[in-house]
Amino acid sequence: MRKLKFLLQKEFRQIFRNRSILRIIFVMPVIQLLVLPLAADYEVRDIHVAVVDHDHSAWSQKLVNKIDASGYFQVLQYGNSFERAMAQIENDRADLILEIPAGFEKTVIKEDKASLFMAVNAINGVKANLGAAYLQQIIRDFNGERRAEWIVYPRFDPEKIITVTSSNWYNPNMNYKFFMVPGILVILVTMVGSFLAAMNIVKEKEIGTIEQINVTPIKKYQFILGKLIPFWVLGMLVLSIGLLIARLAYHIQPAGGLLPVFVFSAIYLLAILGLGLLVSTFTSSQQQAILLSFFLMMIFILLGGLYTSIESMPEWARWLTKFNPVSYFIEVMRLVVLKGSGLKDIGPHLLIMSVFAVVLNSWAVISYRKRH
Amino acid sequence: MISVQHISKSYRQGKGQVKALDNISFEVLKGELFGLIGPDGAGKTSLFRILTTLLLADQGIATVDDADVVKEYRHIRQRVGYMPGRFSLYQDLSVEENLQFFATIFNTTVAENYEQIKEIYVQLEPFKKRLAGKLSGGMKQKLALCCALVHRPDVLFLDEPTTGVDAVSRIEFWDILKRLKADGITVLVSTPYMEEAAKCDRVALVQGGKILSTGTPDELLKGFGQKIYAAKAASMLALLEALKQNALVKDAYPFGEYHHVILKEDRLDDLVHSLGMPDLEIMETSPDIEDCFISLMSH
């Protein structure tokens, strides 16, 4: 016990002596949590539209005004040459082209139907998709309004009007920050847990101190605990700071209370530290450890459900996410923070994470050979 | 105290195998200062790593302090001090903290064993708050030695402790080793410097994973058994060429400011005559360990 205490003391001493690491641990989360949620916005605004109007009628004017007034679109160009509009797309200035054919108003009135043409710049997939969807919605609305003006006898209205109103449960204002902040916090905690722990152990290998340690009576478990405990504590500290920032800056309070968050994080950190330990056993320099962790983090984040919803992934990717500890943490954070889930509700997650912790740590301990 | 019997170790290198140790056997007695002398790549570090339980040998048996290095590694780890060739203490901890750390993990304290390290530690004491990484080379070595000694080991393994250390510190270091020996500690030390062999009780000359010869420095020198001459001329390069091409010469190699020459038969006058260099200066000299090494290597 005295040995372990001393190992911990040494570890903390080294961590607190390394100013740049300390800054990374404590300043980085603050900045990331303050800046990133503002930047990582799901809403698409300022979609640039080039309108090619061959009609120049009152209707086409109204339609363009409606699009402009929606707040999502900026009418970049208004003219009657499709080539010029296309040039805007080619120069990546416009995201959409809306072409209104000649005689649009006339055709609608006479034949009761007309076609509009829409060309979408799909280089930025998300923006293109959402932009096209918004635009269709606006055109549909516009269509409805015009009909309402024209139909004299409402009972003969050929279009059935069914409106769907929705209410957004758990996040009534669809505040994407409520969605992003817990997710970013998860990534920060994961980085402290896996990156730093892996680098720390590999550093001992790189500098050769592990040789010196191995020739002493220190036992394997003492050495490993001496490494895991400090980073567990740091991870919990970063989480606490992050939750404080979420509360002060974004008024985000876990609806399910702090207890489920901390209980889950405690187990999650064990799992992720096991992963860091595993990374360190497979690498022999800090450079390798960083690259390997970076690669793993990329996968974890992209398959973690932070930016893209897991439900919409293909079958095989959904299977992969089941082996991604980050996806569980993100889900739990959202459950607890937004939905107000308690310890009981996240029981299955706790169980799965415990399995992760046991498997990863045992694997790491087995492959960490004190005797080569 | 240390017994090495038929130890072999190979490393994989690409598809082939490199033999680092090839059937090595020797004994080190209790309280002896034993030197492993050999150039870089001779296999010294591999042998140290096997004896300090960090590496498993492919073949052979080794015991340290009567404990088997494989089965009783726990005992060995309690009883030996190891100073690796590369400085491997915590550079971001101070002198004092490093020492305390290594004392604690051996279940002891610095105060308890202060006597053991006192002589070396007094030189470090003025810098005890300094980070180990900021020490000079000689001081680093002294700190590493202190850390290897702080638990009063019976056996001390020092892997090239004087490599990269200035001449004065090297002499000091060997004095310290002599005193440790006087305290009854068995010391196994490796060095690439031939002249340091004379400071050991016994040495083993190692080359290419094999032991060329074992014995006291005097025994090795006696075993040399050939007359050796030191030659000097205005153009040393031309002299060496001429010596190497001369039919009377068995071996010639540069040695300090002279060339050492070994003759096939003792016909020095004929050699001087056949070289025909007016400024040639040649005299008999006594061999040293390096001569022994070169002669053993060429066999």
Side-chain angles (χ1 to χ4, degrees):
Chain A
M1 252 354 250
R2 198 173 82 94
K3 275 189 214 168
L4 185 60
K5 204 190 103 200
F6 210 82
L7 276 170
L8 292 177
Q9 196 184 330
K10 169 220 141 210
E11 214 57 61
F12 276 116
R13 220 178 239 159
Q14 286 181 302
I15 292 167
F16 284 108
R17 207 160 272 174
N18 194 338
R19 301 239 168 257
S20 58
I21 291 275
L22 210 60
R23 246 174 261 146
I24 290 171
I25 296 175
F26 293 106
V27 179
M28 190 180 75
V30 175
I31 294 175
Q32 292 197 341
L33 275 175
L34 289 178
V35 176
L36 284 185
L38 299 177
D41 191 336
Y42 278 132
E43 277 185 284
V44 175
R45 287 179 180 279
D46 291 335
I47 303 163
H48 298 282
V49 200
V51 178
V52 183
D53 188 356
H54 298 298
D55 192 35
H56 294 290
S57 59
W59 272 38
S60 71
Q61 272 301 328
K62 272 184 187 162
L63 176 62
V64 172
N65 282 343
K66 191 172 166 67
I67 291 168
D68 206 8
S70 69
Y72 292 105
F73 296 95
Q74 256 185 23
V75 177
L76 186 79
Q77 198 185 55
Y78 180 82
N80 49 17
S81 154
F82 190 80
E83 276 72 37
R84 274 185 52 214
M86 199 59 209
Q88 295 286 346
I89 284 204
E90 277 162 4
N91 295 331
D92 211 23
R93 273 192 291 253
D95 302 304
L96 276 171
I97 300 176
L98 179 68
E99 194 178 22
I100 305 170
F104 169 65
E105 185 177 343
K106 221 188 278 170
T107 335
V108 175
I109 296 168
K110 264 192 188 158
E111 297 170 21
D112 213 20
K113 65 178 180 197
S115 316
L116 292 166
F117 178 74
M118 191 152 68
V120 184
N121 178 1
I123 292 223
N124 183 341
V126 177
K127 208 173 182 183
N129 264 330
L130 283 174
Y134 288 163
L135 195 58
Q136 273 166 8
Q137 176 91 44
I138 290 170
I139 294 168
R140 206 174 302 131
D141 268 13
F142 176 79
N143 190 21
E145 283 168 24
R146 292 294 83 79
R147 282 178 171 280
E149 277 173 26
W150 274 87
I151 277 127
V152 189
Y153 308 105
R155 57 194 168 119
F156 295 129
D157 186 352
E159 196 190 35
K160 306 275 177 291
I161 298 170
I162 300 170
T163 30
V164 179
T165 38
S166 58
S167 73
N168 300 309
W169 275 82
Y170 310 122
N171 189 0
N173 298 324
M174 279 296 268
N175 186 343
Y176 66 92
K177 286 188 189 90
F178 277 44
F179 208 59
M180 288 306 287
V181 172
I184 291 174
L185 194 52
V186 165
I187 289 171
L188 288 175
V189 171
T190 310
M191 290 200 0
V192 171
S194 68
F195 266 38
L196 290 180
M199 271 168 60
N200 186 289
I201 300 169
V202 172
K203 189 179 166 198
E204 298 243 1
K205 271 197 207 174
E206 208 174 67
I207 297 182
T209 41
I210 205 156
E211 290 273 275
Q212 196 88 62
I213 294 279
N214 281 349
V215 195
T216 67
I218 280 198
K219 295 203 176 61
K220 201 149 109 174
Y221 81 90
Q222 288 171 323
F223 181 75
I224 290 177
L225 278 181
K227 287 289 176 199
L228 295 190
I229 294 172
F231 289 99
W232 188 87
V233 172
L234 282 178
M236 291 304 261
L237 210 60
V238 166
L239 179 78
S240 313
I241 294 173
L243 287 172
L244 193 71
I245 291 173
R247 183 172 186 158
L248 295 179
Y250 305 106
H251 309 289
I252 298 173
Q253 288 187 52
L258 286 171
L259 184 72
V261 175
F262 275 101
V263 169
F264 187 83
S265 306
I267 298 172
Y268 174 77
L269 268 168
L270 280 182
I272 219 72
L273 283 168
L275 184 77
L277 196 63
L278 198 59
V279 166
S280 75
T281 61
F282 285 115
T283 52
S284 53
S285 72
Q286 294 189 67
Q287 210 174 25
Q288 290 170 2
I290 290 178
L291 279 174
L292 184 57
S293 310
F294 191 76
F295 175 71
L296 287 174
M297 280 302 283
M298 283 276 277
I299 297 174
F300 284 170
I301 292 171
L302 289 178
L303 288 181
L306 178 60
Y307 295 106
T308 48
S309 146
I310 291 176
E311 284 73 25
S312 57
M313 288 177 191
E315 179 84 21
W316 59 268
R318 254 180 291 162
W319 267 100
L320 281 181
T321 61
K322 291 197 198 304
F323 297 97
N324 178 1
V326 175
S327 72
Y328 292 94
F329 197 9
I330 290 178
E331 200 182 330
V332 164
M333 277 297 240
R334 285 173 178 166
L335 282 177
V336 177
V337 172
L338 296 175
K339 200 176 175 186
S341 301
L343 269 182
K344 232 185 248 167
D345 305 303
I346 60 166
H349 298 85
L350 281 172
L351 193 72
I352 294 171
M353 204 38 68
S354 309
V355 173
F356 264 107
V358 171
V359 170
L360 285 171
N361 280 294
S362 329
W363 186 5
V365 169
I366 291 167
S367 45
Y368 170 86
R369 286 254 171 260
K370 205 176 168 180
R371 296 170 57 81
H372 302 280
Chain B
M1 200 58 180
I2 303 171
S3 152
V4 177
Q5 276 159 29
H6 310 295
I7 288 280
S8 293
K9 175 79 195 173
S10 306
Y11 294 107
R12 246 197 325 201
Q13 195 178 60
K15 278 183 184 160
Q17 290 230 321
V18 178
K19 233 174 173 139
L21 295 172
D22 189 2
N23 199 10
I24 277 199
S25 303
F26 65 92
E27 301 262 339
V28 180
L29 305 176
K30 191 170 163 53
E32 205 171 28
L33 176 54
F34 193 94
L36 281 175
I37 320 278
D40 292 340
K44 303 187 298 280
T45 301
S46 298
L47 187 59
F48 271 99
R49 287 169 54 87
I50 288 171
L51 291 176
T52 50
T53 75
L54 290 170
L55 191 70
L56 290 175
D58 298 337
Q59 272 160 21
I61 305 167
T63 60
V64 173
D65 200 10
D66 294 326
D68 187 275
V69 288
V70 182
K71 287 180 212 119
E72 293 161 286
Y73 69 94
R74 278 182 206 284
H75 173 83
I76 294 175
R77 286 180 185 169
Q78 292 276 1
R79 295 310 325 147
V80 306
Y82 174 44
M83 188 176 146
R86 194 160 62 122
F87 181 71
S88 35
L89 299 178
Y90 293 100
Q91 314 236 3
D92 47 357
L93 292 183
S94 70
V95 168
E96 211 178 11
E97 286 161 351
N98 264 301
L99 202 55
Q100 252 172 26
F101 177 73
F102 283 99
T104 313
I105 57 181
F106 278 104
N107 264 329
T108 176
T109 58
V110 177
E112 221 173 289
N113 294 321
Y114 189 69
E115 276 305 304
Q116 177 92 7
I117 55 166
K118 192 176 137 196
E119 243 174 304
I120 318 162
Y121 192 60
V122 283
Q123 299 176 47
L124 285 166
E125 208 133 34
F127 315 108
K128 67 179 180 187
K129 298 273 177 222
R130 194 178 287 187
L131 296 187
K134 302 247 187 292
L135 290 174
S136 68
M139 283 295 173
K140 274 184 183 159
Q141 290 307 82
K142 278 172 196 155
L143 176 60
L145 186 60
C146 273
C147 290
L149 277 173
V150 74
H151 61 289
R152 286 186 179 274
D154 297 327
V155 188
L156 198 55
F157 291 97
L158 307 170
D159 192 5
E160 302 203 3
T162 53
T163 301
V165 174
D166 68 90
V168 178
S169 297
R170 266 162 66 181
I171 293 168
E172 268 180 26
F173 203 87
W174 279 99
D175 288 341
I176 294 169
L177 294 191
K178 274 199 183 125
R179 264 174 269 145
L180 290 176
K181 194 197 95 173
D183 287 346
I185 297 178
T186 310
V187 183
L188 181 65
V189 58
S190 73
T191 174
Y193 303 120
M194 305 288 163
E195 69 272 19
E196 290 182 342
K199 302 190 160 130
C200 304
D201 293 336
R202 282 198 308 141
V203 295
L205 301 183
V206 208
Q207 158 74 13
K210 288 193 171 107
I211 289 188
L212 302 176
S213 179
T214 324
T216 64
D218 283 341
E219 280 168 4
L220 289 183
L221 294 179
K222 272 181 203 143
F224 186 67
Q226 297 171 85
K227 265 193 183 164
I228 194 158
Y229 295 96
K232 196 177 177 184
S235 169
M236 293 301 276
L237 194 63
L239 176 61
L240 189 62
E241 287 296 315
L243 283 168
K244 280 189 168 165
Q245 275 160 23
N246 198 294
L248 293 166
V249 175
K250 187 176 162 198
D251 205 0
Y253 44 86
F255 198 99
E257 55 176 326
Y258 291 93
H259 291 321
H260 275 189
V261 188
I262 300 163
L263 299 180
K264 285 178 181 154
E265 292 160 71
D266 195 12
R267 286 157 58 193
L268 183 62
D269 293 340
D270 292 349
L271 175 72
V272 174
H273 190 74
S274 67
L275 285 172
M277 287 181 167
D279 58 346
L280 179 72
E281 193 185 307
I282 191 159
M283 62 194 154
E284 196 181 336
T285 185
S286 53
D288 83 9
I289 295 285
E290 194 166 338
D291 294 306
C292 298
F293 197 90
I294 290 169
S295 120
L296 285 166
M297 235 169 51
S298 54
H299 287 169

